[in-house]
Amino acid sequence: MKTLLLLFFSLSFFTINAQNSSIKGRVVDEEGNPLFGANVLLSNGDGTMVDENGKYSFKNLPSDGYEIAVTFLGYEKQTKSIALEKGATKIVNFTISTSQENLQQVEITGRKARSYKNELTYAATKTATPIKDVPQAISYVTKEVFADQQAYRVNDIVKNVSGVNMFSYYDDFTMRGFRSGDTYINGLRVVGLFGPQPLLANIERVEVIKGPSSAMFGNSIPGGVMNRVTKKPLAEDRKSINFTLGSFNTLRTTADFTGPVNEKETLLYRLNLAYENSDSFRDLQEFKSYMIAPSISFLPTDKTRINFDLVITNFDGKLDRGQPIFGASAGTDLNSTPISFAINQTNDFQKSDVVYSTLSLNHKFSDNISFNASYMKYLFEENLVEHRTSNQFAIDGNGEQIPTQMGMQVIQRQRQFIADNLSSYFVFDGNTGALEHKVVAGFDFIEQKQPRGAASAFARGYRLQNGGVSSNPADFQNFLLDANGNPVPNVPHFNLDDPTYNVAQLSDYTFTQSASSATRYYTYGFYIQDQIKFNKWQVLLGGRQEYYNDIVNVDQPDEETTTQNKFLPRLGLVYSATNEINLYGTYTQSFQPQGLAAQTNPNVGGPFDPVTAEMVEVGAKGEFFNNRLGANLAVYYIENNNILVNANEPGNPELLRQRGQEESKGFELDINGRILPNLSLTANYAYNEAIISESDNPNEIGLRKENAPLHQGGFFGKYTFIDNKLEGLGISLGTNFVSERNTFSSELQLPSYTIVDAGVSYKVDRFNISFLLNNVFDETHWVGGYNYVRLFPGAPRNYLMSVGYSF
């Protein structure tokens, strides 16, 4: 009987296995080279990667009909249908060709790639140009890096960009030693949000165009322009949802849906959603936000593309002004207060709404002429109540600072900003003899205004003996004194030794009302640019005439306008040394008009010349490992002139002076992409010496600029196992380091730091589970800072765990 049973099970086993079938084959390019790392996907959801010999295989498949799709970055997708019989092995080979997809002039059709590497930039030249062919350093971080680092805000990912570091907790950075200025979305300037950090849920990538870029963007800072590229609809169905839990009571969820609306794929959609409710390692700080971001693309013909984006974001939390420490007279000790220490009160709040919409059009009149236009309307509203430092320590009855008592003020504010941005240009493609030309000629218009109705109320200073309050040191003899003989503050001092948090009674303070008059500035420019190609050489020639107009007391009898104009040239040269490596050099300028207050207020000592800068940069760009990995090396020198600083005149605190010159020089390296099909990497390093080079104050010359580290860099890599035993398991490891930085207080320096992050993930079927541990060794560090009363510590050790599903 046992023998019969054994025979029965043996026959059953062989019968079952005999019915299992397999598919195998090779994937090569048009020249027969194996495409190591290409993705092969079966219609039943199974997928694999091509090995170094170009081979792939699927085993133990039931007999059925299958579709096999092969995709690889830079190559056309290819699909084959087969019928698989019981017990059969089907050999299916693929020869796929490089992609000949016509690159649109404006970024309307979304990026399909799923890689740390990005191929193209639009903002740098106004045309779809390979980054390798742009004669200027461009760093970027893609949404795939966002996902693997579980990043939620822009501040979470700047560590991946060479030469860029946080200046504070706000939308506020240092680029090549210069503090950032305006914010750009899809190459269009919007209102800079100095408070809430922008969310990443609807962002495809963040790119930084290094150095002066005024020839393309008008007035801008010399360090660079940070551009946020939003996700666009795709012509293929992709849907995903993600849930994240973590330290500090973090709860986040995001969703991303995209695909065609009709069978002809002429109408595409995308919808991004995000929600967060979390606390912080900082006392009393919290984050409540949501985002709704629908997008529609309409492609009625192969010559016309139209896209509409709408983004609605709400922020509800508190404005974190940073960590105060004991005053200098108590010794410089960054640890005199804990990094969690904040000085808000319980009922403070910052509520803000950001809404913007963009309409973009691309139309090809012929193979040689196309027209592009983008218009964005951007609205920002804020309602704020905050207890914050008065930027000085408390004083005693002798007028001396009390280093453990923080002077305080309360601000109530309601305001609105509106921005309109129009970019329009023609692109002409043609030849003159052996020269290939791509000419861009266009007009930009930008307007930002604060309409009537903006108002603030301030409670600050010390109470006077006869009633009222004053912040003027000249009134010290008239200050009301307490039982200990110390001045009585309007807003109680904050005891750094023994903090107290309450529901503040705003009615106890004396407020000064401050209505803000309507303001407006607008700037417009005409520009022309020619990208010339001859054999291995490419030349970029461009120029822009910019007109900047600043208006105060809008629509009032005393309305006043200041106009500043500037012509801005641009020159770049690219040489293709090999098929993989391009060498380049560039010369650019930047221009920043002085604000109207600095030009017209008689107390400040103006008018002043505009801030102007110029840059010389040389470098090399390469693509390696079958174009899977991109690298950029840049060496640069930037000279910035006519910087306004406070003159520190005791009799006139408003007086400004124009410091002579600042300079920044150094080199940077960025690497992004895949070394192996299952090993992704982003790495960067920057050496930057940013100093004050000329000044009417000899003591300033040679000082390093604030929050400008000499060294910074790091890497982040993810390795995914593809063998049968560990298939789907991923391990990630990253580190970033920043050297010492100066603050606005000459004796206070922020120490260097090195942070290590590590994670593990597992992908099974359509689920992806990931765990990330940030700051593994719990290093205390500061990402930026102003002075003793406002430092910005980085987060201690924390974790994030997410579960995602794609369908």
Side-chain angles (χ1 to χ4, degrees):
M1 185 67 177
K2 291 181 180 179
T3 304
L4 290 174
L5 287 173
L6 180 60
L7 178 62
F8 172 77
F9 284 117
S10 299
L11 289 173
S12 299
F13 174 80
F14 285 114
T15 301
I16 291 171
N17 278 274
Q19 293 176 351
N20 288 337
S21 308
S22 61
I23 302 171
K24 64 181 181 179
R26 292 188 79 222
V27 180
V28 298
D29 63 15
E30 296 166 297
E31 297 179 355
N33 300 313
L35 289 179
F36 181 31
N39 296 300
V40 185
L41 182 67
L42 286 186
S43 51
N44 68 349
D46 291 347
T48 188
M49 286 184 178
V50 173
D51 66 18
E52 63 272 13
N53 298 313
K55 296 180 179 181
Y56 75 93
S57 64
F58 296 96
K59 299 178 180 178
N60 299 325
L61 296 171
S63 58
D64 203 347
Y66 292 93
E67 279 195 353
I68 312 173
V70 176
T71 61
F72 194 53
L73 185 64
Y75 290 80
E76 297 282 0
K77 179 180 179 181
Q78 191 174 133
T79 303
K80 292 184 179 182
S81 299
I82 65 165
L84 189 60
E85 299 176 353
K86 292 181 180 180
T89 297
K90 195 81 170 181
I91 297 176
V92 185
N93 295 323
F94 291 85
T95 300
I96 60 176
S97 56
T98 55
S99 175
Q100 300 299 320
E101 182 179 359
N102 189 30
L103 301 176
Q104 65 275 13
Q105 303 301 330
V106 293
E107 197 156 12
I108 290 180
T109 301
R111 169 179 171 268
K112 297 179 182 179
R114 303 183 186 186
S115 169
Y116 287 10
K117 180 174 181 281
N118 180 50
E119 299 285 332
L120 305 169
T121 180
Y122 296 78
T125 61
K126 299 284 188 180
T127 64
T129 304
I131 292 176
K132 185 179 174 183
D133 293 339
V134 178
Q136 195 166 350
I138 299 174
S139 301
Y140 57 83
V141 188
T142 67
K143 68 179 184 300
E144 288 71 28
V145 180
F146 303 170
D148 288 343
Q149 295 183 351
Q150 300 199 41
Y152 196 73
R153 294 180 173 80
V154 170
N155 292 29
D156 297 333
I157 55 91
V158 295
K159 62 187 178 183
N160 301 294
V161 181
S162 66
V164 178
N165 61 284
M166 292 172 60
F167 204 101
S168 66
Y169 285 153
Y170 319 127
D171 188 17
D172 181 22
F173 310 100
T174 302
M175 302 180 186
R176 288 186 170 177
F178 300 98
R179 197 170 184 180
S180 60
D182 294 292
T183 297
Y184 293 81
I185 299 174
N186 297 326
L188 302 175
R189 187 185 308 169
V190 298
V191 177
L193 296 184
F194 198 66
Q197 301 174 17
L199 305 183
L200 292 170
N202 71 318
I203 301 299
E204 174 70 34
R205 68 182 179 276
V206 173
E207 58 186 13
V208 179
I209 303 167
K210 301 293 188 59
S213 298
S214 291
M216 294 309 298
F217 297 101
N219 56 294
S220 61
I221 69 163
V225 167
M226 181 180 289
N227 182 43
R228 291 141 197 184
V229 180
T230 59
K231 295 176 181 177
K232 301 298 189 299
L234 300 177
E236 60 185 62
D237 281 310
R238 291 187 187 178
K239 301 177 179 67
S240 64
I241 55 175
N242 191 83
F243 300 93
T244 301
L245 300 172
S247 301
F248 320 126
N249 301 316
T250 296
L251 171 63
R252 300 170 181 167
T253 182
T254 58
D256 185 357
F257 308 111
T258 187
V261 176
N262 57 1
E263 291 184 4
K264 295 183 178 180
E265 297 183 350
T266 58
L267 186 63
L268 314 175
Y269 85 96
R270 192 153 194 166
L271 177 63
N272 287 103
L273 304 170
Y275 173 78
E276 178 186 32
N277 189 333
S278 66
D279 296 328
S280 167
F281 75 97
R282 304 270 300 142
D283 294 336
L284 294 181
Q285 303 304 311
E286 56 190 23
F287 303 96
K288 295 180 181 178
S289 60
Y290 66 80
M291 171 186 286
I292 304 170
S295 180
I296 293 289
S297 290
F298 180 44
L299 292 73
T301 71
D302 59 353
K303 294 184 178 181
T304 304
R305 302 167 184 261
I306 301 170
N307 191 85
F308 176 77
D309 295 327
L310 175 65
V311 179
I312 303 170
T313 308
N314 175 273
F315 299 92
D316 185 356
K318 292 181 176 65
L319 185 56
D320 189 349
R321 294 286 186 172
Q323 169 203 7
I325 60 173
F326 291 0
S329 58
T332 301
D333 182 4
L334 290 166
N335 298 299
S336 57
T337 62
I339 62 172
S340 61
F341 191 56
I343 57 176
N344 294 92
Q345 288 299 330
T346 305
N347 55 332
D348 287 354
F349 63 84
Q350 182 192 33
K351 298 180 180 180
S352 59
D353 291 289
V354 176
V355 179
Y356 62 91
S357 59
T358 309
L359 180 64
S360 300
L361 166 70
N362 167 239
H363 179 71
K364 295 188 67 174
F365 293 99
S366 67
D367 291 339
N368 305 105
I369 302 175
S370 63
F371 174 72
N372 307 271
S374 295
Y375 168 74
M376 176 182 285
K377 168 75 76 172
Y378 190 98
L379 297 95
F380 167 66
E381 293 185 353
E382 180 188 48
N383 186 7
L384 169 78
V385 171
E386 65 163 336
H387 286 70
R388 54 161 292 187
T389 170
S390 62
N391 295 322
Q392 60 186 8
F393 290 90
I395 57 174
D396 60 20
N398 298 317
E400 300 294 329
Q401 285 190 354
I402 306 174
T404 59
Q405 298 280 322
M406 182 60 62
M408 296 294 292
Q409 61 179 319
V410 176
I411 299 176
Q412 294 179 290
R413 182 172 67 212
Q414 290 188 335
R415 58 180 178 172
Q416 179 187 60
F417 289 101
I418 302 172
D420 293 275
N421 197 316
L422 172 67
S423 174
S424 59
Y425 55 97
F426 287 90
V427 178
F428 305 89
D429 289 295
N431 297 326
T432 55
L435 302 179
E436 299 177 22
H437 297 270
K438 181 173 286 187
V439 179
V440 176
F443 169 78
D444 289 342
F445 176 83
I446 304 166
E447 179 184 65
Q448 292 189 17
K449 56 187 176 183
Q450 178 179 271
R452 290 180 182 178
S456 303
F458 302 90
R460 55 174 62 136
Y462 289 89
R463 298 188 181 275
L464 298 174
Q465 297 176 18
N466 58 352
V469 295
S470 174
S471 300
N472 190 342
D475 292 326
F476 179 78
Q477 298 301 322
N478 296 320
F479 286 171
L480 182 66
L481 304 181
D482 62 16
N484 297 318
N486 296 321
V488 177
N490 184 13
V491 179
H493 297 146
F494 199 94
N495 191 333
L496 305 186
D497 258 338
D498 185 20
T500 301
Y501 298 101
N502 292 308
V503 175
Q505 299 296 321
L506 301 183
S507 58
D508 292 344
Y509 310 144
T510 299
F511 281 90
T512 301
Q513 300 294 326
S514 176
S516 300
S517 62
T519 61
R520 173 177 173 241
Y521 89 78
Y522 67 94
T523 179
Y524 60 92
F526 301 89
Y527 57 89
I528 188 166
Q529 170 188 282
D530 191 3
Q531 293 170 269
I532 307 168
K533 188 173 183 180
F534 174 72
N535 291 332
K536 294 185 176 184
W537 295 91
Q538 298 179 64
V539 179
L540 188 151
L541 297 172
R544 178 189 185 94
Q545 180 62 49
E546 181 76 4
Y547 301 89
Y548 181 90
N549 302 272
D550 206 341
I551 308 170
V552 295
N553 301 321
V554 176
D555 296 329
Q556 299 296 313
D558 57 347
E559 179 179 294
E560 189 170 4
T561 302
T562 296
T563 300
Q564 300 172 68
N565 306 325
K566 180 73 172 177
F567 177 77
L568 299 156
R570 185 184 191 189
L571 172 64
L573 182 66
V574 178
Y575 174 71
S576 298
T578 69
N579 291 334
E580 293 78 25
I581 298 174
N582 284 356
L583 307 178
Y584 74 91
T586 192
Y587 171 80
T588 60
Q589 293 184 357
S590 71
F591 153 75
Q592 287 177 285
Q594 305 291 1
L596 189 61
Q599 298 289 65
T600 60
N601 185 346
N603 295 325
V604 303
F608 298 100
D609 295 329
V611 179
T612 60
E614 57 184 8
M615 178 187 75
V616 176
E617 177 180 302
V618 296
K621 300 184 181 184
E623 293 184 331
F624 310 98
F625 298 97
N626 203 14
N627 294 331
R628 294 194 305 267
L629 187 77
N632 187 105
L633 173 67
V635 181
Y636 59 88
Y637 173 81
I638 301 173
E639 183 182 283
N640 194 33
N641 300 285
N642 303 327
I643 306 95
L644 279 185
V645 295
N646 195 286
N648 294 318
E649 177 65 36
N652 182 8
E654 295 183 76
L655 185 66
L656 301 175
R657 62 184 176 90
Q658 201 145 30
R659 190 161 63 195
Q661 188 181 98
E662 300 170 342
E663 66 178 34
S664 171
K665 56 187 176 183
F667 64 91
E668 298 168 339
L669 176 66
D670 287 277
I671 299 173
N672 294 282
R674 294 184 297 176
I675 297 176
L676 300 171
N678 56 335
L679 175 58
S680 296
L681 175 71
T682 176
N684 69 90
Y685 171 74
Y687 172 87
N688 174 262
E689 187 178 2
I691 63 170
I692 301 168
S693 52
E694 294 181 8
S695 175
D696 54 2
N697 180 359
N699 295 326
E700 289 184 331
I701 297 176
L703 293 180
R704 189 171 300 153
K705 285 174 54 58
E706 302 82 13
N707 280 312
L710 189 63
H711 303 276
Q712 68 178 97
F715 75 89
F716 180 85
K718 182 178 181 181
Y719 182 85
T720 303
F721 292 90
I722 56 176
D723 59 35
N724 292 332
K725 294 180 181 179
L726 299 175
E727 184 175 359
L729 180 67
I731 298 175
S732 61
L733 180 67
T735 183
N736 68 286
F737 63 89
V738 179
S739 63
E740 295 86 357
R741 289 137 292 147
N742 291 337
T743 67
F744 293 106
S745 297
S746 58
E747 71 279 10
L748 178 61
Q749 189 177 71
L750 303 179
S752 62
Y753 64 85
T754 300
I755 302 299
V756 176
D757 306 322
V760 62
S761 64
Y762 182 63
K763 185 175 183 180
V764 53
D765 194 18
R766 297 178 182 272
F767 283 94
N768 187 73
I769 303 170
S770 59
F771 176 85
L772 186 67
L773 187 64
N774 294 305
N775 196 357
V776 173
F777 300 108
D778 200 23
E779 179 165 348
T780 300
H781 63 291
W782 287 264
V783 298
Y786 297 170
N787 47 37
Y788 287 88
V789 301
R790 293 177 69 182
L791 300 176
F792 301 95
R797 182 167 51 229
N798 64 92
Y799 76 91
L800 292 169
M801 183 172 63
S802 70
V803 178
Y805 180 71
S806 301
F807 55 99

